[in-house]
């Protein structure tokens, strides 16, 4: 039974990643209206008669999301039965399912009634929470915590602030990036790191793009400082040290892919890579939060 649960958890995690990237693909290719104002059918038809690339992308995303929903439900029930005694299992199972349903409802609402850029920017953030919940559930199933001795962590006030603060701030970065996409501001600034040399932005789209760049720059600084702190004080706690090391690598890749998105004029490969790296980064930060929540001693170390 445990082996089957592990296989299902891996499949579910990959499915959630495909759902995330599928949503990004729909946005980046402008396929949101590929099926018209009809949901769950395309143009009110069970088998669409007028096939277009946009329709294929949108319909594929809907199918993957629907199948993913059943897989997530199966994982939640099975993990509840097998590892329900672990403190975080039931909470993560509920979060995985609830946020996947919320994500689907937001997408459906956008198709049928249309929604503002602000609301649609939330769609990606909701998807991230569902993905991170499934990822953490998978880590519990594979007993990664036991291998890293996560039950015996000792985290000081400074590190605790880095962990919770960086995860909370990552929502701002994610939201600003999604807002860039939904307001079509990705190429508003042709230069890096500023819009036009040292000139200040003058248009709305330019300000949206620069706000995201500044937010992304700050999270890089936060993660770099947190990693240096972990290297000084937490070398013996592998989950903390390697968690921040992975975060630093991912945020660097995130920044690099963002630059390449601009210079390649929205290359689909680098655009999807940009979404992939932030998803993985959010997952790692979520794991650090789960580890920190287990420290009941709360010793006064750094």
């Amino acid at each position: 039974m445990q082996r089957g649960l592990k296989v299902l958890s891996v499949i579910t995690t990959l499915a959630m990643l495909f759902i995330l990237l599928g949503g990004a693909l729909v946005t980046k290719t402008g396929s949101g209206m590929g099926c018209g104002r009809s949901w769950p059918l395309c143009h009110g038809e069970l088998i669409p008669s007028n096939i277009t690339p946009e329709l294929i992308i949108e319909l594929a995303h809907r199918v993957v999301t629907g199948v993913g929903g059943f897989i997530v439900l199966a994982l939640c029930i099975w993990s509840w039965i097998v590892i329900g005694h672990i403190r975080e299992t039931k909470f993560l199972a509920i979060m995985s399912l609830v946020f996947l349903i919320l994500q689907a409802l937001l997408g459906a609402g956008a198709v049928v009634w249309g929604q503002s850029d602000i609301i649609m920017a939330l769609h990606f953030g909701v998807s991230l929470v569902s993905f991170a919940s499934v990822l953490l559930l998978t880590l519990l199933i594979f007993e990664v915590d036991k291998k890293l001795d996560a039950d015996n962590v000792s985290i000081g006030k400074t590190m605790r602030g880095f962990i919770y603060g960086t995860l909370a701030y990552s929502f701002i970065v994610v939201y600003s990036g999604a807002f860039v996409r939904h307001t079509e501001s990705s190429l508003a600034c042709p230069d890096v790191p500023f819009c036009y040399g040292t000139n200040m932005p003058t248009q709305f789209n330019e300000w949206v793009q620069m706000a995201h760049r500044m937010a992304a720059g700050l999270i890089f600084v936060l993660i770099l400082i947190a990693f240096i702190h972990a290297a000084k004080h937490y070398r013996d706690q592998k989950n903390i040290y390697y968690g921040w090391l992975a975060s630093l690598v991912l945020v660097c890749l995130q920044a690099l892919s963002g630059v390449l998105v601009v210079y390649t004029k929205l290359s689909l490969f680098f655009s999807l890579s940009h979404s992939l790296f932030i998803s993985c980064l959010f997952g790692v930060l979520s794991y650090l939060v789960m580890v920190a929540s287990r420290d009941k001693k709360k010793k006064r170390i750094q």
Side-chain angles (χ1 to χ4, degrees), residues 280-299:
C280 293
L281 175 61
F282 187 82
V284 174
L285 292 174
S286 298
Y287 173 72
L288 288 172
V289 167
M290 185 174 73
V291 172
S293 69
R294 290 181 170 180
D295 179 21
K296 300 300 184 181
K297 300 175 184 178
K298 298 182 180 178
K299 294 181 180 178

Side-chain angles (χ1 to χ4, degrees), residues 1 5 25 43 46 103 106 162 170 174 238 241 247 285 288 291:
M1 179 178 286
L5 182 58
L25 180 63
H43 300 291
L46 181 60
Q103 171 202 356
L106 283 174
F162 276 128
S170 69
V174 168
K238 294 181 179 179
Y241 174 73
S247 298
L285 292 174
L288 288 172
V291 172

Side-chain angles (χ1 to χ4, degrees), residues 58-119:
E58 171 65 11
L59 184 57
H61 179 54
R62 293 186 187 184
V63 170
V64 172
T65 302
V67 173
F70 287 106
I71 297 175
V72 170
L73 178 60
L75 178 67
C76 292
I77 295 173
W78 199 349
S79 60
W80 194 299
I81 295 171
V82 177
I83 61 169
H85 59 281
I86 299 178
R87 183 170 66 98
E88 297 90 356
T89 299
K90 295 178 181 178
F91 172 75
L92 291 174
I94 293 172
M95 289 285 286
S96 301
L97 195 57
V98 168
F99 275 82
L100 180 60
I101 293 172
L102 181 58
Q103 171 202 356
L105 291 177
L106 283 174
V111 168
V112 178
W113 299 294
Q115 293 187 16
S116 67
D117 294 329
I118 294 176
I119 297 299

Side-chain angles (χ1 to χ4, degrees), residues 83-161:
I83 61 169
H85 59 281
I86 299 178
R87 183 170 66 98
E88 297 90 356
T89 299
K90 295 178 181 178
F91 172 75
L92 291 174
I94 293 172
M95 289 285 286
S96 301
L97 195 57
V98 168
F99 275 82
L100 180 60
I101 293 172
L102 181 58
Q103 171 202 356
L105 291 177
L106 283 174
V111 168
V112 178
W113 299 294
Q115 293 187 16
S116 67
D117 294 329
I118 294 176
I119 297 299
M120 283 309 301
L122 288 173
H123 188 265
F124 188 71
V126 170
S127 303
L128 269 183
V129 174
S130 185
F131 166 72
S133 299
V134 170
L135 176 62
L136 295 184
L137 201 53
T138 298
L139 294 178
L140 290 180
I141 292 169
F142 274 84
E143 299 182 333
V144 171
D145 283 352
K146 292 184 179 179
K147 296 173 184 176
L148 295 176
D149 197 25
D151 287 326
N152 294 313
V153 295
S154 182
I155 301 174
K157 184 177 180 180
T158 301
M159 179 55 73
R160 192 177 298 277

